[in-house]
Amino acid sequence: MTATIDTAWSNPLRDSRDKRLPRIAGPCSLVIFGVTGDLARRKLMPAVYDLAARGLLPPSFALVGFARRDWDDQDFGQIVHDAVREHSRTPFREEVWERLSEGFRFVQGAFDDDAAFDQLSEVLADLDRQRGTDGNHAFYLSIPPGAFPTVCEQLQRSGLADQTDEHWRRVVIEKPFGHDLTSAQELNAVVNRVFPEDAVFRIDHYLGKETVQNILALRFANQLFDPLWSSHYVDHVQITMAEDIGLGGRAGYYDGIGAARDVIQNHLLQLLALVAMEEPVSFEPRELQNEKIKVLSATRNVLPLELNTARGQYGPGWQGSTEVPGLVDEEGFAQDSITETYAAIAVEVDSRRWAGVPFYLRTGKRLGRRVTEIALVFKRAPHLPFDKTMTEELGENALVIRVQPDEGITLRFGSKVPGSSMQVRDVNMDFSYGQAFTESSPEAYERLILDVLLGEPSLFPVNDEVELSWKILDPVLRAWADSGRPDTYESGTWGPRSADEMMNRVGRTWRRP
Ligand code: BG6
């Protein structure tokens, strides 16, 4: 018997393409459901234009909008035009626009309207013939999850979800992926009945951010940080996603969902996974996903939940020089809404590397300022051979990954204050994207849409990750549901008192970024 060797594994040159070259999508069309929504206007349409402007879409590319609105192709083109003018990252160039807009089509209809889906099917077939999109279609469901079953069934009924060797069909779904584990499983079953798992792209737009992908470079391209990256040196980790905006205009989506489901279940647990995971064997999608899955399966809440979580709802206050209303006075929210706009949880990762190191995850609306960061806060030096008064201003060493808005990395450590005494104080060593690189970073949605069209799944959480994240969050949500109203915090501050108490109780404080 001869042993066979899997050459895909054994041949390091199997993919000899120079990975620095830009990857350009092949012939295809992108169909957006929910094209009248905010996400489509602010993020998706501008991202499509930016990709075209960077030369990353093929000449045959087509963009199809599907909605109930009484629009024709021209009206749709005008909507995309306005969205691009207002929100695109790269400057508007007439020649790029001309070429791109030739591939715009609009299909009017409701999600339960068979005729509309038959028409969509005809429009896509026409595009295949006229523009050469080759039968490759990505369906972007920028719609409430309640509409997923109907749209998926319609795509199946009209043959648009059929996979063959000649063409691909992919579906892109936006969160919320359910509102707890059970509903997430149901939702996934609905999608998987029509699209196989490798054709499903779940968007977590944080993974599309340059600064988030840089966590992998920081950790696995350097020797400097790894020895410090464990319970031997790290006291705790704080992952913060703070926003200064309120929820005016978003009641339909947000009321009853709240900060933990909106941000912790997806963005913050994904950041935790990237910070805590082991080095993957390679950056092949499966390898990366496996490492994240391992971390999420080893993550558990710090108990008791009443003392190790906090939630709050913003009341009236001041955001800079503007007076702002509390949540319950925002349009669409009821006076007795108990939706939390601030959430903090403490978790631990049961692994050799992280045992005993708490990870504190917090997010909130109407906080002091907009900032997302990951801070590894180090243990104090075991001994300080200085006079006590000399180190009164010395805090803990910290490595801070500044995800946004001032993208970069800060290392905080103690330094001698110039002068005749040995006084020590915290100083920062900074890397800033703005100074180190000349080009501006692509928007997260540019990267993610391009990856969908290329069929590159690395930056999309798989179903296991979604389910494990709900398993972590569900007990917290249940405990909160049983404990009445969230605390109120003044807009423009850093959250409810209970959040500070949660940290103070264990001798720690939240960072004030
Ligand atoms: C979304 C949340 O996923 O992320 C919003 O639903 C939040 O509530 C947004 O405002 C923040 O995204 P970014 O990229 O501005 O940090």
Side-chain angles (χ1 to χ4, degrees):
M1 203 171 90
T2 47
T4 55
I5 298 173
D6 180 349
T7 48
W9 280 101
S10 60
N11 179 4
L13 298 177
R14 85 198 133 100
D15 180 4
S16 54
R17 190 175 68 84
D18 184 339
K19 292 258 166 48
R20 289 168 304 182
L21 296 173
R23 302 161 312 150
I24 300 171
C28 62
S29 61
L30 173 68
V31 182
I32 303 181
F33 293 94
V35 80
T36 53
D38 216 38
L39 181 76
R41 202 168 47 80
R42 283 169 176 278
K43 299 289 182 187
L44 308 184
M45 295 167 180
V48 166
Y49 171 83
D50 287 325
L51 287 172
R54 291 163 63 203
L56 301 179
L57 296 181
S60 59
F61 177 79
L63 177 70
V64 181
F66 184 108
R68 248 189 317 216
R69 227 43 85 79
D70 184 16
W71 288 344
D72 59 16
D73 292 347
Q74 271 76 37
D75 299 327
F76 175 57
Q78 188 60 44
I79 298 290
V80 184
H81 179 270
D82 295 349
V84 167
R85 282 287 193 167
E86 198 178 343
H87 298 290
S88 69
R89 181 178 63 90
T90 55
F92 189 83
R93 296 208 325 261
E94 206 55 57
E95 68 277 15
V96 173
W97 175 255
E98 289 287 310
R99 191 149 35 86
L100 181 68
S101 57
E102 280 166 18
F104 289 175
R105 301 287 184 278
F106 183 75
V107 176
Q108 189 208 358
F111 298 149
D112 58 359
D113 178 355
D114 290 1
F117 278 81
D118 292 342
Q119 200 208 332
L120 175 64
S121 184
E122 279 168 33
V123 166
L124 290 174
D126 275 351
L127 285 168
D128 288 343
R129 281 191 296 271
Q130 291 164 14
R131 284 182 72 80
T133 42
D134 281 3
N136 300 321
H137 310 313
F139 301 101
Y140 200 122
L141 309 194
S142 177
I143 54 177
F148 285 9
T150 316
V151 173
C152 285
E153 279 155 24
Q154 288 283 14
L155 291 173
Q156 187 172 42
R157 190 196 57 76
S158 53
L160 286 171
D162 293 352
Q163 314 279 342
T164 69
D165 289 343
E166 280 78 49
H167 64 234
W168 53 256
R169 302 287 157 90
R170 298 181 185 135
V171 68
V172 186
I173 52 181
E174 276 282 344
K175 74 183 175 66
F177 309 124
H179 53 88
D180 58 10
L181 177 61
T182 314
S183 57
Q185 285 168 333
E186 286 164 7
L187 196 66
N188 198 53
V190 163
V191 175
N192 278 166
R193 229 174 284 144
V194 177
F195 290 95
E197 184 61 19
D198 63 1
V200 182
F201 290 72
R202 297 176 186 80
I203 298 264
D204 184 318
H205 79 280
Y206 265 62
L207 297 181
K209 292 182 192 272
E210 280 290 333
T211 42
V212 172
Q213 290 158 40
N214 192 36
I215 297 170
L216 299 177
L218 176 79
R219 295 196 54 203
F220 304 126
N222 298 301
Q223 180 71 340
L224 183 57
F225 303 107
D226 188 60
L228 305 176
W229 214 267
S230 77
S231 63
H232 295 304
Y233 295 100
V234 176
D235 176 73
H236 69 279
V237 179
Q238 295 190 22
I239 304 182
T240 301
M241 195 269 229
E243 292 181 283
D244 51 7
I245 50 169
L247 285 154
R250 287 191 73 201
Y253 161 73
Y254 201 90
D255 202 14
I257 294 283
R261 288 187 177 94
D262 184 40
V263 171
I264 295 184
Q265 189 273 342
N266 37 77
H267 308 324
L268 299 196
L269 284 170
Q270 283 291 323
L271 294 182
L272 171 133
L274 293 173
V275 169
M277 72 182 205
E278 294 303 315
E279 181 179 282
V281 173
S282 72
F283 286 129
E284 290 297 313
R286 199 66 219 159
E287 302 296 341
L288 194 63
Q289 284 151 2
N290 282 346
E291 294 305 333
K292 286 198 285 167
I293 287 171
K294 274 199 245 166
V295 173
L296 293 170
S297 357
T299 301
R300 57 167 184 83
N301 293 297
V302 179
L303 299 175
L305 290 174
E306 322 75 87
L307 301 184
N308 292 288
T309 65
R311 69 190 165 128
Q313 187 186 78
Y314 65 81
W318 289 84
Q319 207 82 53
S321 54
T322 314
E323 195 168 9
V324 293
L327 181 86
V328 297
D329 291 321
E330 300 273 23
E331 183 200 332
F333 287 90
Q335 285 296 316
D336 59 356
S337 169
I338 57 163
T339 300
E340 88 279 354
T341 58
Y342 178 101
I345 67 170
V347 295
E348 284 188 3
V349 179
D350 285 337
S351 67
R352 170 173 286 249
R353 188 186 283 271
W354 292 116
V357 177
F359 285 70
Y360 298 105
L361 277 47
R362 66 172 163 166
T363 182
K365 305 277 183 197
R366 285 263 187 252
L367 298 184
R369 61 177 275 240
R370 172 174 181 256
V371 60
T372 300
E373 61 159 47
I374 301 162
L376 278 79
V377 180
F378 291 92
K379 294 179 175 171
R380 287 182 186 275
H383 172 67
L384 291 172
F386 305 89
D387 186 283
K388 242 195 167 132
T389 55
M390 294 292 152
T391 54
E392 273 167 1
E393 287 183 62
L394 174 66
E396 293 139 318
N397 297 163
L399 178 74
V400 184
I401 300 169
R402 304 194 312 269
V403 174
Q404 63 187 28
D406 171 26
E407 291 88 356
I409 295 173
T410 301
L411 193 57
R412 188 182 69 187
F413 54 92
S415 177
K416 179 179 177 305
V417 179
S420 54
S421 68
M422 199 29 141
Q423 206 192 330
V424 182
R425 201 180 68 200
D426 288 334
V427 293
N428 287 333
M429 204 155 86
D430 260 348
F431 147 62
S432 144
Y433 274 74
Q435 279 167 13
F437 302 111
T438 46
E439 62 272 40
S440 74
S441 297
E443 273 281 319
Y445 278 95
E446 286 173 53
R447 173 66 196 262
L448 296 176
I449 291 175
L450 180 63
D451 280 4
V452 169
L453 304 181
L454 288 163
E456 163 53 57
S458 302
L459 298 179
F460 299 87
V462 290
N463 187 45
D464 288 350
E465 293 169 73
V466 172
E467 293 194 1
L468 286 165
S469 301
W470 281 120
K471 273 192 193 152
I472 298 164
L473 208 59
D474 271 2
V476 176
L477 296 170
R478 276 198 298 272
W480 288 352
D482 293 341
S483 62
R485 275 195 66 77
D487 304 332
T488 304
Y489 59 96
E490 194 184 327
S491 284
T493 66
W494 282 94
R497 192 162 340 121
S498 54
D500 290 328
E501 288 163 1
M502 154 184 169
M503 291 295 259
N504 298 160
R505 234 176 261 125
V506 288
R508 300 190 173 103
T509 50
W510 289 111
R511 288 170 46 78
R512 290 278 180 266

